Amino acid sequence: MATLEKLAASMDTFYLLVCGVLVFFMQAGFGMLEAGSVRQKNIKNILLKNLLDACIAGGIWWAWGMGVANAGKDAFIGLAQGEKGDSRYFFLMGEGGAGEHPSGYENIFWFFQFVFAATAATIVSGAVAERCQLGAYLVYTFFLTAFVYPVVVHWCWSGAGWLSAFNADHDATFVGGCIDFAGSGVVHMTGGITAFWAALFLGARRGRYSSDGKLIEMPGHSSVLVVLGTFILWVGWYGFNPGSTLLISTDLAAQTAARAAVNTTLSAAAGGLIVIVLEKLIGSKCWDVAAICNGVLAGLVSITAGCATCVPWVGFMTGLFGGLVYFGTSKLMKYKLKIDDPLDAFAVHGACGIWGVFSVGFTADPDYTSDYYGWTNATAWTPDYAGAFYGGDKLLLAQFVAILAQLAWVSFFAIIVFGGLRLLGLLRISAEVEEAGMDASKHGGAAYETPLSHAETTALRKWLTEQKLVSSTV
């Protein structure tokens, strides 16, 4: 029996390793998607930001991010009222030598949490593309991963958070807590709201709008990279959502992971289909590749909160409505508010993240909530703590409050950081640098070696002939 238990524990560690690697691979997906969506003169810059997100998040999550998110008993932040042993989350001090977990689970749990933090940070890079100073971007990344995101994680996912469905102290939670299984709110809404304020304070790219306020298209340089990035992100989501069971060695965990994978697939498909149809009928009037890519991502973000607690047809409808939310928000941002968000980061992650969290308040199936969260076994909670469509009378309110709390928390820091950087003149690059492109002016040259133009070829041939390196007849 002891051997089987050890094997099960090792299996859980390996499962989180595989899922964590899939989530980390999403950084490559974001990199390809963003590189393809920007103009050729800014490719190196956007890729550098993606790399720095992972590096900064790794250091901060090791130093104190994990501790703020998970340590202590305080319902607001994981620092106060800590008990013996909580220090293991700060610099992983408890996970070395004799103190290391027998199966390595604590270390792999840190890794799994780190890749989520890196994802939240990377979402914003698309919104600030082609015009944000690198120094300003690093400041924002530091604040998000060090102060903003860990607190949201603590609220919703820790065993002590005031919004956490996993909080055993029922009196410390808001009507039992909210359900955000894999992070429509915690990860995507956090990144998406930050992206909104970043794009607003930065202003539109030069030439994005005409003198009379009409939108001027600025297509990215590679549809191939956009589609490749989208597929990589879709694959990575199978680590993101099913992996959030945090183990696989029990029947319940395996069943939940399988359900999450099915709902993830259906929601992504529905989001892609509805957006490309809308784009063809009332948008650009063409079969837009970029539109279906963002539709797929909208569906993925929308289902991330409820992937474990809804039946398949609900998963499909969640993605369908998520596509509608994305499409409407994107058009509103571009044409009415005139906020230039090159990757539609807010429309995809912010707006659809809000929808994903809110939808759970309607669609959470009591069979799944009672099984996974054990609510029916808790005397302090009522058996009907489920979605409103199933007669639940608490969850919808908890979801709504979670949205409001995260909107306020994230917006507060984003306004201070981006507003402060703008006042100091440290937010946006100069007009000259923006015109030339950041690759040439800041990163040592273009990302690609492009073929010489006819004039450049003629000049080169003339020079080679003058140096008698080639015949004049060549």
Side-chain angles (χ1 to χ4, degrees):
M1 183 63 70
T3 301
L4 289 177
E5 290 176 354
K6 290 181 179 179
L7 179 62
S10 298
M11 185 186 304
D12 291 336
T13 297
F14 183 70
Y15 177 68
L16 270 195
L17 171 62
V18 173
C19 290
V21 168
L22 283 174
V23 177
F24 191 60
F25 190 47
M26 291 173 73
Q27 294 291 329
F30 278 114
M32 296 302 96
L33 175 67
E34 293 173 9
S37 299
V38 301
R39 290 166 292 179
Q40 190 169 327
K41 61 184 180 180
N42 292 308
I43 299 170
K44 279 186 177 180
N45 180 263
I46 200 75
L47 292 176
L48 179 61
K49 289 173 181 174
N50 279 271
L51 286 165
L52 288 171
D53 284 332
C55 294
I56 293 173
I60 291 175
W61 206 250
W62 167 68
W64 68 81
M66 183 76 168
V68 171
N70 292 282
K73 294 181 178 179
D74 190 90
F76 184 77
I77 190 169
L79 290 175
Q81 302 177 20
E83 55 187 3
K84 187 177 180 180
D86 279 344
S87 61
R88 71 185 184 276
Y89 290 121
F90 295 94
F91 295 95
L92 289 176
M93 290 186 293
E95 289 303 311
E100 191 170 348
H101 192 280
S103 70
Y105 187 82
E106 290 293 341
N107 276 327
I108 205 62
F109 182 61
W110 174 89
F111 172 69
F112 191 70
Q113 291 273 301
F114 146 68
V115 294
F116 273 57
T119 300
T122 297
I123 289 169
V124 186
S125 58
V128 302
E130 302 197 294
R131 64 212 192 275
C132 182
Q133 290 191 37
L134 183 60
Y137 186 78
L138 298 181
V139 170
Y140 128 75
T141 302
F142 174 82
F143 270 91
L144 183 73
T145 55
F147 302 110
V148 181
Y149 175 76
V151 172
V152 176
V153 173
H154 185 76
W155 289 353
C156 299
W157 285 346
S158 77
W162 69 281
L163 284 169
S164 176
F166 299 104
N167 192 335
D169 183 3
H170 307 149
D171 294 332
T173 60
F174 184 83
V175 295
C178 70
I179 294 177
D180 187 1
F181 184 74
S184 286
V186 174
V187 179
H188 295 281
M189 195 168 77
T190 297
I193 294 168
T194 308
F196 172 86
W197 291 110
L200 180 64
F201 277 106
L202 268 169
R205 289 168 290 177
R206 290 173 58 83
R208 181 58 163 158
Y209 293 96
S210 64
S211 57
D212 57 356
K214 291 185 178 180
L215 180 74
I216 298 175
E217 293 296 335
M218 287 185 171
H221 86 284
S222 175
S223 296
V224 174
L225 289 180
V226 170
V227 174
L228 175 62
T230 302
F231 271 122
I232 291 174
L233 287 169
W234 194 342
V235 169
W237 238 281
Y238 294 115
F240 212 94
N241 287 0
S244 291
T245 59
L246 304 180
L247 71 160
I248 198 64
S249 59
T250 68
D251 289 345
L252 178 59
Q255 185 185 58
T256 303
R259 183 187 317 122
V262 169
N263 286 327
T264 299
T265 304
L266 293 176
S267 187
L273 289 172
I274 189 65
V275 169
I276 196 170
V277 169
L278 288 171
E279 194 66 38
K280 174 64 175 177
L281 294 178
I282 60 177
S284 63
K285 305 296 179 69
C286 69
W287 299 107
D288 192 340
V289 173
I292 192 172
C293 287
N294 277 337
V296 166
L297 296 177
L300 290 167
V301 171
S302 299
I303 198 60
T304 297
C307 59
T309 55
C310 70
V311 294
W313 74 266
V314 171
F316 186 87
M317 295 304 296
T318 300
L320 200 70
F321 281 100
L324 293 171
V325 169
Y326 157 73
F327 186 82
T329 305
S330 175
K331 301 306 181 187
L332 176 67
M333 293 273 286
K334 290 178 181 177
Y335 295 101
K336 297 297 182 180
L337 301 180
K338 297 192 183 335
I339 298 175
D340 186 16
D341 184 349
L343 271 292
D344 276 336
F346 175 72
V348 170
H349 300 277
C352 291
I354 292 171
W355 156 244
V357 174
F358 192 60
S359 68
V360 177
F362 292 98
T363 63
D365 190 307
D367 290 335
Y368 299 146
T369 58
S370 62
D371 283 347
Y372 191 78
Y373 293 96
W375 280 326
T376 55
N377 299 321
T379 56
W381 296 346
T382 59
D384 64 343
Y385 194 87
F389 291 161
Y390 295 91
D393 61 354
K394 292 184 176 182
L395 185 59
L396 183 60
L397 179 60
Q399 301 299 107
F400 182 66
V401 169
I403 291 169
L404 292 181
Q406 291 175 49
L407 276 169
W409 177 256
V410 177
S411 295
F412 173 75
F413 277 94
I415 291 171
I416 289 176
V417 172
F418 290 113
L421 289 168
R422 179 172 174 174
L423 286 174
L424 295 172
L426 301 175
L427 184 59
R428 183 161 180 157
I429 58 176
S430 67
E432 294 77 17
V433 171
E434 186 174 351
E435 188 67 30
M438 284 185 278
D439 288 359
S441 56
K442 300 292 184 180
H443 305 297
Y448 303 133
E449 291 186 8
T450 56
L452 296 177
S453 66
H454 176 72
E456 290 170 330
T457 302
T458 302
L460 178 59
R461 181 182 294 115
K462 180 180 178 182
W463 182 84
L464 290 172
T465 302
E466 291 173 349
Q467 300 300 315
K468 298 182 179 180
L469 295 175
V470 298
S471 169
S472 60
T473 58
V474 173

